């Protein structure tokens, strides 16, 4: 039902349907705008936007899902004067069967007017079909608790006006397609992920039927067709191969041509070879978890075993786990080549959300070029010690048989790193270390050949750049370990020198694994997968160890085993990132939960050294304090910034440690807005009669106001 044309948003009532998930049919749509240009709109609580989107996805006539095609944001207080329908946040949602119309191989084709007479085609078209259905969600600037929904096109049709997907699509592919239950992208991805993870077929079928029952009823025919679908999909996955051509380069070229939507950069005609991969789901995760957050990189994976090394860009999700959002396969580490693919990746993100910005970038290689990061992302750069720690510990355990010698060498290596902030010459500490352990020939041969030529470069980077926290380093290492398990399986050793195998492995098994982890956690399903995902990092496993199970001594700490209460683990050199634990996981070179737990407790105790990240942070603050006194303006500015940063960090620490959010909020100071802002909200422009001589000045003043308003948005 439509009302008469309304020109003021204040006359539109806020609708709050009583049902949990609601759709457009549950709302009363109002024509808003001018006689020349108006839209169908509805006003709902902003907190219920997700419920509206889910309701629209569950449309019986056209089941689908909606993705963010474009988005913009403004800061509160950025506009001095504004209209009643100005946005604080703007999101354009488009049916995922559009807007493009892609055929097989990525070539845009018109909608098919005929059925393809073959049994091998999918019963329902899963590619983009040119659907024009889309709507806009505006979080109102003046009323942030309300969202204005502007439905531009409610019909799921293509540009020709024909139904392009769903049960009403007469051009569905395959015989008897209307009788086959709808299998959306989410259901298909869920089923594929479970098959890739090796879950038994009966369990896969059970979850698959639960998914399709959202769109159709359950009966014998539906269950039979679902069983055939799951069995057939399982056979396809088991028989699928990465070799699309005997020649590796040709095979990669064929894959790239078929998967253009999953590639953000591809350079094959000229040297060096560069392939940047990012699926649509990874793009959404990068938009969600990377905005105003930190991006980390696991660089040069497989540099000795793969044909081309693999570089992974990671974001930290809602549980602070490292989530891969882009893969880059290349051997080139030059400034020019890194800048090319980084700018291509950022352009892809900004095409969806122009306001997206990252607050920090964590690198793990001292030899990495930082200029492309600064030029592209314009953000601070941090350094993670996880790669150094892991390499040293693995080779100590491998080359030294005596466990007492192992923990002493690891401790002394840590002293070399800590000497950066202790006011001691690191190279004097290094020389004493090499002299004291000259009898450990196997390890010293490795250390002298691998690390001595570049140790100065690594120590300089550690001192120059802020160091990442132990939680971030542990999350990056957890991803690295999982990647290593997936790729370096004994059954795949013969394929390591083929790029098509690496691409296939990343985009199928690894991608499906992370997709199912996130889906299980957010939907509270697949409890086994969810629990494994929650405890996939040493940091989260350490949080489950009670403080009462930890006993601190002078030189070591004892921790009671969580699985075997009769087992006691010893952690030597407590309080340091270079603490040595005798558990099996640590002896493989990993950062174990026992070391993390002991360091958590030592942070709150006197007499233990602070973490490297804290000492790096302290060094940066002290450097800011050491401004020369004659440079008074610079000194004032440094102190002002330092006070602001310290205050923000203090509030974050208090917020993380507090058990009652209300107590933290009550301590915050009141923040008053300017008087002009408080009195001019949604003020209508008043046009006063004036003489003709002043009309020109009025126009100039209006233009300058508009110019000032646009500059504030930028």
């Amino acid at each position: 039902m439509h009302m008469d044309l309304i020109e003021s948003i204040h006359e539109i009532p806020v609708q709050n349907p009583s049902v949990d998930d609601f759709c457009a049919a549950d709302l009363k749509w109002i024509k808003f705008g001018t006689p020349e240009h108006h839209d169908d709109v509805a006003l709902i609580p902003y907190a219920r936007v997700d419920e509206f989107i889910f309701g629209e996805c569950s449309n019986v006539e056209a089941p689908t899902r909606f993705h963010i095609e474009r988005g913009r944001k403004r800061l509160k207080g950025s506009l001095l004067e504004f209209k009643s329908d100005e946005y604080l946040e703007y999101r354009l949602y488009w049916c995922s069967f559009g807007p493009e119309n892609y055929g097989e191989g990525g070539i845009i084709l018109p909608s098919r007017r005929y059925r393809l007479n073959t049994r091998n085609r999918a019963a329902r078209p899963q590619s983009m079909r040119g659907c024009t259905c889309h709507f806009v969600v505006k979080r109102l600037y003046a009323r942030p608790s309300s969202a204005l929904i502007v439905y531009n096109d409610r019909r799921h049709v293509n540009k020709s006006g024909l139904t392009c997907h769903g049960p009403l699509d007469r051009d569905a592919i395959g015989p008897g397609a209307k009788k086959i239950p709808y299998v959306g992208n989410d259901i298909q991805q869920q089923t594929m992920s479970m098959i890739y993870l090796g879950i038994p077929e009966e369990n896969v079928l059970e979850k698959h039927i639960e998914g399709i029952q959202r769109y159709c009823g359950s009966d014998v025919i539906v269950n039979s067709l679902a069983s055939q679908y799951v069995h057939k999909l399982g056979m396809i996955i088991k028989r699928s191969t990465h070799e699309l051509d005997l020649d590796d380069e040709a095979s990669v070229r064929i894959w790239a041509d078929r998967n253009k939507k999953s590639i953000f950069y591809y350079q094959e005609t000229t040297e060096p070879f560069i392939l940047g991969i990012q699926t649509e789901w990874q793009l959404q995760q990068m938009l969600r978890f990377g905005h105003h957050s930190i991006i980390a990189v696991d660089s040069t994976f497989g540099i000795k075993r793969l044909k081309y090394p693999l570089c992974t860009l990671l974001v930290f999700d809602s549980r602070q786990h490292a989530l891969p959002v882009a893969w880059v396969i290349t051997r080139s580490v030059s400034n020019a080549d890194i800048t090319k693919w980084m700018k291509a990746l950022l352009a892809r993100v900004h095409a969806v959300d122009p306001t997206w910005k990252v607050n920090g970038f964590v690198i793990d290689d001292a030899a990495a070029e930082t200029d492309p990061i600064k030029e592209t992302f314009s953000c601070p750069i941090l350094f993670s010690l996880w790669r150094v720690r892991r390499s040293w510990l693995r080779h100590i355990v491998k080359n030294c048989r005596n466990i007492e010698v192992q923990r002493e060498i690891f401790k002394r290596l840590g002293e070399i790193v800590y000497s950066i902030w202790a006011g001691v010459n690191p190279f004097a500490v290094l020389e004493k270390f090499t002299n004291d352990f000259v009898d450990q020939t196997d390890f010293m041969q490795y250390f002298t050949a691998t690390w001595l030529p570049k140790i100065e470069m690594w120590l300089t980077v550690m001192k120059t750049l802020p160091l990442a926290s132990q939680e971030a380093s542990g999350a990056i290492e957890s991803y690295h370990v999982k990647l290593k398990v997936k790729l370096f399986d004994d059954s795949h050793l013969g394929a390591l020198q083929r790029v098509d195998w690496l691409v296939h492995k990343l985009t199928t098994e690894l991608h499906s694994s992370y997709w199912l982890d996130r889906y299980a956690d957010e939907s509270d399903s697949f409890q086994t997968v969810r629990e494994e995902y929650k405890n996939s990092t040493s940091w989260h496993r350490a949080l489950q160890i009670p403080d009462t199970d930890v006993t601190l001594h002078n030189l070591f700490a004892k921790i009671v085993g969580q699985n075997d209460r009769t087992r006691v683990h010893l952690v030597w050199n407590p309080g340091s990132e270079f603490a040595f634990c005798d558990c099996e996981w640590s002896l493989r070179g990993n950062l174990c939960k026992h070391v993390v737990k002991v360091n958590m407790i030592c942070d709150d105790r006197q007499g233990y050294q602070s973490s490297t990240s804290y000492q790096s942070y302290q060094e940066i603050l002290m450097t800011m304090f050491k401004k020369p006194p004659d440079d008074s303006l610079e000194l004032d500015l440094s102190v002002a910034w330092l006070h602001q940063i310290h205050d923000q960090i203090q509030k974050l620490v208090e917020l993380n440690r507090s058990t009652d959010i209300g107590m933290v909020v009550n301590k915050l100071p009141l923040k008053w807005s300017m008087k002009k802002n408080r009195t001019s909200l949604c003020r209508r422009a008043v046009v006063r009669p004036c003489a003709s001589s002043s009309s020109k000045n009025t126009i100039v003043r209006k233009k300058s106001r508009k110019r000032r308003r646009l500059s504030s948005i930028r």
Side-chain angles (χ1 to χ4, degrees), residues 288-521:
R288 178 182 176 185
F289 296 115
H291 184 50
H292 287 168
S293 187
I294 292 177
I295 288 181
V297 60
D298 177 15
S299 59
T300 62
F301 177 89
I303 193 169
K304 295 180 180 178
R305 303 178 67 178
L306 298 177
K307 183 178 181 180
Y308 296 111
L310 173 66
C311 174
T312 307
L313 266 63
L314 306 161
V315 295
F316 298 95
D317 62 17
S318 54
R319 294 191 181 274
Q320 307 307 325
H321 293 351
L323 187 69
V325 292
W327 293 297
V328 181
I329 303 173
T330 183
R331 187 178 288 114
S332 175
V333 292
S334 68
N335 271 347
D337 291 325
I338 295 175
T339 302
K340 287 178 185 177
W341 64 257
M342 278 192 174
K343 286 189 173 182
L345 179 62
L346 185 63
R348 190 182 198 207
V349 174
H350 280 173
V352 180
D353 185 357
T355 65
W356 186 90
K357 181 175 175 57
V358 64
N359 284 352
F361 201 101
V362 180
I363 62 174
D364 61 354
D365 186 1
E369 297 288 350
T370 58
D371 290 341
I373 301 174
K374 296 176 182 177
E375 180 183 346
T376 306
F377 294 101
S378 303
C379 67
I381 300 176
L382 293 82
F383 183 74
S384 174
L385 291 175
W386 80 267
R387 189 179 293 276
V388 183
R389 184 190 185 280
R390 179 180 175 84
S391 178
W392 285 352
L393 182 55
R394 289 183 64 204
H395 284 86
I396 288 173
V397 175
K398 177 182 178 181
N399 296 310
C400 302
R401 301 302 179 202
N402 191 315
I403 191 169
E404 294 182 359
V405 175
Q406 292 175 357
R407 65 194 184 207
E408 185 62 24
I409 290 179
F410 199 47
K411 177 184 176 182
R412 296 284 294 276
L413 287 172
E415 290 177 357
I416 297 174
V417 175
Y418 274 89
S419 66
I420 297 174
W421 306 283
V424 182
N425 183 2
F427 298 100
V429 181
L430 175 63
E431 183 179 1
K432 190 174 186 305
F433 167 79
T434 55
N435 292 333
D436 291 346
F437 295 99
V438 67
D439 58 329
Q440 300 296 321
T441 54
D442 291 340
F443 176 77
M444 293 308 299
Q445 184 178 0
Y446 151 78
F447 188 80
T448 304
T450 306
W451 286 97
L452 276 186
K454 58 184 181 181
I455 192 70
E456 182 178 1
M457 175 185 67
W458 283 80
L459 293 177
T460 302
V461 171
M462 293 177 195
K463 185 175 179 61
T464 306
L465 297 179
L467 296 187
S469 65
Q470 195 168 252
E471 182 180 11
S473 297
I476 301 172
E477 185 183 73
S478 295
Y479 166 78
H480 179 87
V481 171
K482 184 173 182 177
L483 182 64
K484 190 174 181 180
V485 171
K486 290 286 185 182
L487 295 186
F488 293 159
D489 187 352
D490 291 339
S491 61
H492 302 132
L493 293 180
L496 293 179
Q497 290 299 310
R498 289 188 65 99
V499 179
D500 58 358
W501 169 84
L502 177 60
V503 171
H504 179 78
K505 201 75 173 177
L506 294 174
T507 55
T508 54
E509 292 188 31
L510 193 66
H511 182 276
S512 297
S513 175
Y514 279 99
W515 186 95
L516 191 61
D517 286 343
R518 291 296 310 157
Y519 179 81
D521 189 51

Side-chain angles (χ1 to χ4, degrees), residues 93-352:
Y93 289 89
W94 207 292
C95 171
S96 289
F97 285 95
E100 295 95 342
N101 192 356
Y102 283 83
E104 195 172 22
I107 303 172
I108 299 179
L109 298 173
S111 296
R112 294 187 177 93
R113 301 294 185 87
Y114 56 89
R115 292 182 181 176
L116 298 179
N117 188 18
T118 170
R119 296 178 179 272
N120 296 326
R121 297 302 298 259
R124 184 68 46 205
Q126 302 299 330
S127 59
M128 304 178 82
R129 302 285 290 153
C131 184
T132 60
C133 179
H134 63 284
F135 58 86
V136 171
V137 175
K138 288 185 181 180
R139 187 177 188 180
L140 296 179
Y141 189 91
R143 302 159 65 182
S145 61
S146 300
L148 183 70
I149 301 177
V150 183
Y151 226 128
N152 304 104
D153 196 334
R154 294 174 59 182
R155 300 183 305 156
H156 291 270
V157 297
N158 55 25
K159 291 183 179 180
S160 302
L162 301 174
T163 303
C164 54
H165 65 92
L168 301 180
D169 180 13
R170 291 183 298 176
D171 297 327
I173 301 175
K178 296 179 183 179
K179 300 178 183 179
I180 296 178
Y182 172 77
V183 180
N185 286 348
D186 286 344
I187 303 174
Q188 186 182 42
Q189 183 65 60
Q190 171 187 305
T191 306
M192 290 173 58
S193 300
M194 295 177 70
I195 295 173
Y196 278 125
L197 292 177
I199 297 176
E201 186 173 311
E202 55 270 18
N203 296 344
V204 177
L205 177 60
E206 179 183 353
K207 291 294 182 180
H208 182 79
I209 293 177
E210 288 179 7
I212 63 177
Q213 282 178 354
R214 290 184 298 173
Y215 304 104
C216 60
S218 176
D219 54 34
V220 177
I221 297 178
V222 169
N223 294 346
S224 175
L225 293 172
S227 177
Q228 295 176 27
Y229 177 86
V230 170
H231 181 71
K232 184 177 181 180
L233 186 61
M235 294 301 295
I236 292 174
I237 290 175
K238 291 177 182 177
R239 295 174 181 175
S240 62
T241 176
H242 58 274
E243 292 187 1
L244 303 178
D245 192 279
L246 293 178
D247 179 64
D248 187 35
E249 293 183 3
S251 181
V252 173
R253 196 178 304 116
I254 294 172
W255 181 91
D257 190 56
R258 293 180 179 179
N259 298 272
K260 291 182 178 179
K261 299 289 286 185
S262 298
I263 296 175
F264 66 88
Y265 190 82
Y266 184 33
Q267 177 176 295
E268 58 143 355
T269 55
T270 59
E271 288 292 336
F273 174 85
I274 304 175
L275 176 59
I277 302 172
Q278 185 184 59
T279 66
E280 292 187 27
W281 179 77
Q282 286 180 307
L283 173 61
Q284 295 295 326
Q285 306 312 303
M286 188 172 183
L287 288 165
R288 178 182 176 185
F289 296 115
H291 184 50
H292 287 168
S293 187
I294 292 177
I295 288 181
V297 60
D298 177 15
S299 59
T300 62
F301 177 89
I303 193 169
K304 295 180 180 178
R305 303 178 67 178
L306 298 177
K307 183 178 181 180
Y308 296 111
L310 173 66
C311 174
T312 307
L313 266 63
L314 306 161
V315 295
F316 298 95
D317 62 17
S318 54
R319 294 191 181 274
Q320 307 307 325
H321 293 351
L323 187 69
V325 292
W327 293 297
V328 181
I329 303 173
T330 183
R331 187 178 288 114
S332 175
V333 292
S334 68
N335 271 347
D337 291 325
I338 295 175
T339 302
K340 287 178 185 177
W341 64 257
M342 278 192 174
K343 286 189 173 182
L345 179 62
L346 185 63
R348 190 182 198 207
V349 174
H350 280 173
V352 180

